[in-house]
Amino acid sequence: MVRIKRGNVASKRRKKYLSFTKGFVGVNSKLAVLAGEQMKQSLNFAYIGRRLKKRDFRRFWIYRINAASRARLNIYSIFIGCLRNISIFLDRKVLSLIALNDLSVFNLIEKKSRLS
């Protein structure tokens, strides 16, 4: 019988794990089994982090709009509700940029929302 040399696919997979985890602390970048586990965990954390980043930015925009509307003696929830009633559909990112950079336009939008 001819001797079968195994491990081409497995060695490629282990090499992929080790190259991905290069720079990780301790055994997590040295042993293939632990490197594979650490790679899965780090990719999962990166996926979660991308979702958290979107959540944090939305919260930040709401803080900005709320601060700008409270400076004009209005409340965020009432302000957004009035904008919906008069069919001004600006998203929170744009509203926060307007509140930060262009106060005259934000004042105009806020006055229109008070009229409804």
Side-chain angles (χ1 to χ4, degrees):
M1 291 295 279
V2 180
R3 178 172 162 247
I4 299 171
K5 293 175 67 177
R6 285 190 67 244
N8 190 15
V9 176
S11 64
K12 281 184 181 179
R13 185 181 64 242
R14 286 192 291 268
K15 188 183 286 189
K16 181 176 71 172
Y17 291 163
L18 291 173
S19 67
F20 183 86
T21 58
K22 191 176 289 188
F24 284 18
V25 176
V27 183
N28 293 327
S29 63
K30 305 289 187 279
L31 299 178
V33 174
L34 296 177
E37 290 176 6
Q38 195 64 38
M39 184 180 87
K40 289 174 192 167
Q41 188 178 25
S42 64
L43 289 174
N44 190 30
F45 283 148
Y47 176 80
I48 293 169
R50 288 192 298 272
R51 266 72 202 148
L52 289 175
K53 186 169 69 170
K54 292 169 180 57
R55 191 183 308 169
D56 290 342
F57 269 109
R58 183 182 168 94
R59 187 183 302 159
F60 180 63
W61 298 329
I62 289 171
Y63 285 157
R64 273 189 187 168
I65 297 167
N66 193 16
S69 62
R70 282 186 188 270
R72 289 152 188 79
L73 302 176
N74 203 348
I75 300 171
Y76 168 79
S77 59
I78 296 171
F79 175 64
I80 293 293
C82 291
L83 287 182
R84 295 283 179 251
N85 290 339
I86 59 174
S87 299
I88 296 179
F89 295 107
L90 290 172
D91 60 351
R92 285 155 182 80
K93 179 180 180 181
V94 173
L95 275 175
S96 72
L97 287 175
I98 290 171
L100 186 68
N101 297 327
D102 201 356
L103 288 177
S104 60
V105 175
F106 190 79
N107 287 333
L108 184 72
I109 293 170
E110 205 271 333
K111 284 178 187 172
K112 279 202 169 206
S113 73
R114 281 183 186 265
L115 294 177
S116 68

